[in-house]
Amino acid sequence: MSEPLLEVSNLRVSFPTRQGVTEAVRGVSFTLGREKLGIVGESGSGKSMTGRSILGLVPPPGRVTADRLAFRGEDLRTTSDKRLRAIRGSDIAMVMQDPKFSLNPVMTVGHQIAEAYRVHSRASAREAKRRALEMLAAVRIRDPERVYDRYPHEVSGGMGQRIMIAMMLIPDPALLIADEPTSALDVTVQMQILAILDDLCGQRGMGMIFVSHDLNLVASFCDRVLIMYAGRVVESCRAADLHNARHPYTRGLLDSLPRLDDNRRDLPVLTRDPAWLTDGPAAEAQR
Amino acid sequence: MSAPMIDLQSLQVAFGHGAQRVVAVDGVSLRVADGECYGLVGESGSGKSTVLRAVSGLNPDWTGRLSIGGTDQTAKRSKGFFKTCQMVFQDPYGSLHPRHSVDRILAEPVAIHGLDDADGRIDRALREVGLGPSFRFRYPHQLSGGQRQRVAIARALILEPRVLLLDEPTSALDVSVQAEILNLLRRLRAAHGLTMVLVSHNLAVVANLCDRLAVMNRGRLVEELTVEALRRGEAHQPYTRQLLRASQGYDRATADSFRDFA
């Protein structure tokens, strides 16, 4: 691999609370090339915070520290807010879980997409509209002209998520952070959205961090997976090998999934070992 | 089959009037035997939850025939009906009163139905769902998602119902907690001979708990099949087959083969 897109070393996110400091992310390290990296874990494992901290989107009073947090060699810890705003959106984009809360309800979707383009490229209004319509077609919205003038409440959840993706991809980012981008959607729509993301990653050579709780989805969609537990990476493996994972936590999660091809009834329940909180992550997780 | 516990004949549910009228459930007929666990599967907007809400009495506007435990039901339900038929909802964060303690949440149905020995009933119900008596005076915000769903199940069980309606009971939970709740529901069903209707978008969850299932799309019942047939992939309708493929993980070629079913 040539220069990595993103380098993260010993990332920590902590929140001061009345009971003391809570650490949501405790020493996560990884590097990302032009690939699809999955981050899986249960709620509270710190997977979303890992994604957010890269863009400096951890809400106050959260504190982010890292030994290294660099995008194309540029240190994200020390960049000015102004520079970070320029990076956000144009170089690194983020797709959130629920389009209902991420789109502006009083602006047509077309205008929002065009605005995303103009903020980062200084194009004319006409050019922005043309690009927005192209982008809507690229995320396979059948009638882009009609959808362009719709308001967010007039489109379905699946279409809303495609609009979000169109808006995030129009400045042509090098890295996309997708936080549960398909969890609110039906399985068939989910597949279609993933196909769009997959194609865009392939065509544009975009890197992607895909945060999800769905192990099967990550195993079938991503190239590489980090499994997080209580703020730490407990295991890292090739996505295709996820079903042969070794860490007892990963094994426990996989076993607790009901499966269609297996008619055992009682599902094994995950018993949490306190050692998982402290034992050193596998050596390859740190590469 | 002996007399079915739940018998629906051409159930139809519509919302709105005139041009705004939407038929959410369009002529659904199905029977669930006493002690059976029946799954309703479909995507959002397929009408699966609306069927459940019509059965439970939460949605009074329906036409057709709806009989529970051999008694024909109308829009208005008797107190006896609610003792027979209880429901557990998707989101345990929304279905428990945030300012009522677990004790008060569980005492309310007992008081409404004028049952005796509230104390003993609450204690037994909590034990049955795997929560000790120590949880009795806690508030919902002091419980995890899985514990809250257990309280919601305890609230449904405290009236000793014969039918339990489950609307996506595990989709708001982590997979490890989902496994615990599915195991609990299976155990309770065996212990009490409960009849269950489980609404879910997850085929694997339905296969784990149910004996038979119906696949719904756009308000219509597409196909009814046994879980064994589902496991063997013996779905006849193209829509069911597409749903099966979609639930088997991401595959680029499969995504292209999807189409809309009217």
Side-chain angles (χ1 to χ4, degrees), chain B residues 233-256:
Chain B
E234 288 170 10
H236 295 292
Q237 295 299 324
Y239 179 75
T240 314
R241 286 208 291 270
Q242 174 168 312
L243 213 55
L244 255 172
R245 280 202 308 276
S247 60
Q248 279 157 358
Y250 174 75
D251 181 81
R252 185 67 192 81
T254 309
D256 275 340

Side-chain angles (χ1 to χ4, degrees), chain A residues 112-231:
Chain A
Q112 294 185 51
I113 300 173
E115 184 189 39
Y117 185 58
R118 292 190 74 188
V119 163
H120 294 291
S121 71
R122 229 194 293 178
S124 70
R126 179 178 298 174
E127 166 70 4
K129 177 164 185 180
R130 194 183 60 77
R131 283 293 312 266
L133 287 171
E134 268 176 25
M135 206 61 224
L136 282 173
V139 294
R140 291 193 214 120
I141 283 177
R142 262 170 241 152
D143 191 351
E145 297 274 356
R146 194 173 55 91
V147 174
Y148 189 92
D149 292 318
R150 293 282 178 100
Y151 285 91
H153 72 271
E154 297 176 301
V155 300
S156 67
M159 205 183 274
Q161 198 58 289
R162 279 182 242 201
I163 290 163
M164 277 298 295
I165 291 172
M167 190 188 302
M168 290 304 137
L169 294 179
I170 201 166
D172 208 0
L175 169 62
L176 181 72
I177 301 170
D179 189 355
E180 306 262 9
T182 59
S183 304
L185 307 174
D186 284 325
V187 278
T188 46
V189 182
Q190 165 174 300
M191 285 276 264
Q192 288 163 337
I193 299 236
L194 291 179
I196 294 166
L197 288 175
D198 197 4
D199 292 351
L200 292 170
C201 277
Q203 290 157 9
R204 300 177 178 214
M206 189 172 68
M208 177 147 108
I209 297 179
F210 187 83
V211 177
S212 176
H213 67 279
D214 190 331
L215 286 106
N216 282 330
L217 195 65
V218 168
S220 53
F221 180 68
C222 295
D223 302 315
R224 202 151 60 87
V225 191
L226 307 178
I227 295 104
M228 285 188 71
Y229 178 72

